[in-house]
Amino acid sequence: MLPFSQYDAHGHLRHLITLEGMTSEQVRELLDRAQRYLRRPGEIPAHGRSLAGITVGNIFTEPSTRTRSSFELAAKRLGADVLNLEIQLSSRVKGETVLDTVYTLQAMAVDVFVIRDAEPGVCQYVAEHVAPHVSVLSAGEAHLSHPTQGLLDALTILQYKGGFRDLVVAVVGDVRHSRVARSAYQVFTALEVGELRIVAPDALMPDEGEMPEAKRFKTLESGIEHADVVMMLRIQKERMAQAAIPDAHDYFARWGLTKQKLKLARPEAIVMHPGPMNREIEIASEVADGPHSVIRQQVTNGVAVRMAVLETVIENRNRRWSPPR
Ligand code: ASP
């Protein structure tokens, strides 16, 4: 069997499981397309018919607000039918049952599976088994990958900063357990961000050797100094042993981003957070709701990015595959 690839035989994106190994051209193509779906606040959101007749199945086995609803809106705004399911996949990934579930939905003509799961490997496993016309999009896989989040983060930076090469970008907090940080690392290195920093206490740093192109900083103050972009991360309690969870009060004192600390960054720095935020733990409300925050724009951009990804995989499918007559 050939090694798994998220690209089809023509090299076009079929599944989106990871941003690892993506070229800057591949990323920029998706961002360009997403930009076409952005509208000004108050304008009617972008609509289209490019997914008319297509069925998108959202299978989320971990909680989600933004990602699930934005995939749903993205699909609907392009004319697709959407099915939302809360079923367990991960505990059965090695058994037949996961495939029974997927094949059942495939028999109801689900064309795109959007999957979030706490266990590594589920998205790829499903992608390896679906019919040739079906695509799988990751909506967050364990601590490993959250590709559409990485893309929306890149889009947000592009919008506010106009490019990547001259920027200092600091990714701060629980980098170790964060799929957002891993996808951010992959997309920012593809786009050749000027200086990429990971900023975390020892216990929340990824293992040595991971994220080799990022500079490591062990205090918030040193890590955000002169930064153009400060991306704060949530502590992923669900991926830690109880004893390892830091005390909220202590964590805020050392690692919480306050207005005062933000003064160390560049005066026009933007502050990002993937949500959900733990206010007064990793970020003070005065910053989350303050003038540097672009957190709500990230959410807006998430819909545009997911429209772009859905449309791309369906367009690629239509190029390589025509339905039997
Ligand atoms: N919503 C993001 C994720 O699913 C970030 C987080 O949960 O902290 O990974």
Side-chain angles (χ1 to χ4, degrees):
M1 204 165 94
L2 290 170
F4 175 77
S5 168
Q6 58 183 3
Y7 300 93
D8 65 20
H10 308 287
H12 299 132
L13 194 70
R14 174 178 165 199
H15 308 291
L16 183 61
I17 312 286
T18 179
L19 299 179
E20 196 170 1
M22 266 204 182
T23 63
S24 95
E25 291 69 42
Q26 288 168 323
V27 171
R28 280 183 187 273
E29 234 175 81
L30 290 168
L31 300 186
D32 286 349
R33 196 186 282 256
Q35 269 176 316
R36 298 207 288 273
Y37 286 123
L38 290 174
R39 296 292 181 271
R40 272 184 279 252
E43 278 184 347
I44 292 177
H47 278 75
R49 300 292 301 156
S50 51
L51 263 60
I54 295 291
T55 304
V56 175
N58 285 324
I59 305 180
F60 280 61
T61 67
E62 274 194 320
S64 173
T65 310
R66 281 151 292 271
T67 307
R68 203 198 58 72
S69 42
S70 64
F71 261 114
E72 180 171 357
L73 281 176
K76 286 183 171 165
R77 287 182 183 162
L78 291 174
D81 294 324
V82 180
L83 202 66
N84 290 312
L85 288 153
E86 281 169 29
I87 47 175
Q88 279 305 320
L89 288 178
S90 44
S91 55
R92 292 171 285 163
V93 66
K94 296 195 183 77
E96 281 295 299
T97 335
V98 57
L99 293 183
D100 281 343
T101 309
V102 165
Y103 292 154
T104 301
L105 295 171
Q106 205 174 260
M108 294 183 211
V110 169
D111 303 281
V112 181
F113 288 96
V114 178
I115 297 178
R116 164 169 292 192
D117 202 274
E119 192 170 315
V122 171
C123 295
Q124 180 177 326
Y125 182 74
V126 173
E128 282 169 337
H129 289 88
V130 287
H133 63 280
V134 173
S135 293
V136 176
L137 307 179
S138 165
E141 176 183 357
H143 61 291
L144 291 175
S145 173
H146 195 348
T148 53
Q149 178 75 42
L151 293 169
L152 77 87
D153 289 337
L155 179 60
T156 307
I157 294 176
L158 187 61
Q159 234 173 14
Y160 284 90
K161 298 291 169 192
F164 301 94
R165 293 200 179 186
D166 300 324
L167 300 182
V168 175
V169 177
V171 180
V172 185
D174 185 4
V175 183
R176 185 178 183 81
H177 302 100
S178 173
R179 55 191 173 208
V180 173
R182 287 184 177 78
S183 286
Y185 176 81
Q186 290 156 1
V187 76
F188 295 159
T189 47
L191 294 166
E192 297 179 35
V193 157
E195 184 179 319
L196 184 54
R197 301 176 177 176
I198 49 177
V199 187
D202 279 337
L204 302 181
M205 263 297 174
D207 287 339
E208 282 301 329
E210 232 203 306
M211 307 192 189
E213 287 176 49
K215 289 192 186 164
R216 295 181 175 223
F217 290 78
K218 293 188 172 182
T219 65
L220 175 68
E221 289 78 2
S222 60
I224 66 171
E225 202 175 1
H226 306 309
D228 300 284
V229 177
V230 182
M231 181 191 283
M232 302 304 294
L233 300 170
R234 180 177 69 88
I235 298 189
Q236 307 280 301
K237 288 186 192 160
E238 69 275 32
R239 299 189 214 289
M240 291 181 196
Q242 193 61 30
I245 298 174
D247 174 79
H249 195 262
D250 286 355
Y251 189 84
F252 185 64
R254 284 178 193 219
W255 288 94
L257 185 63
T258 58
K259 210 164 135 187
Q260 192 57 32
K261 289 181 183 162
L262 185 58
K263 288 187 180 150
L264 292 164
R266 290 221 190 275
E268 65 293 349
I270 56 169
V271 175
M272 301 169 66
H273 192 300
M277 284 185 277
N278 290 310
R279 288 169 181 263
E280 323 312 326
I281 296 183
E282 71 260 356
I283 189 165
S285 281
E286 61 185 11
V287 176
D289 305 322
H292 295 266
S293 170
V294 298
I295 294 168
R296 290 188 198 130
Q297 188 60 37
Q298 287 175 268
V299 178
T300 301
N301 291 349
V303 181
V305 155
R306 286 160 186 137
M307 288 170 89
V309 171
L310 283 164
E311 194 175 65
T312 299
V313 295
I314 291 303
E315 208 172 87
N316 291 343
R317 151 184 138 147
N318 294 342
R319 284 205 244 189
R320 69 171 184 270
W321 183 83
S322 43
R325 287 170 195 273

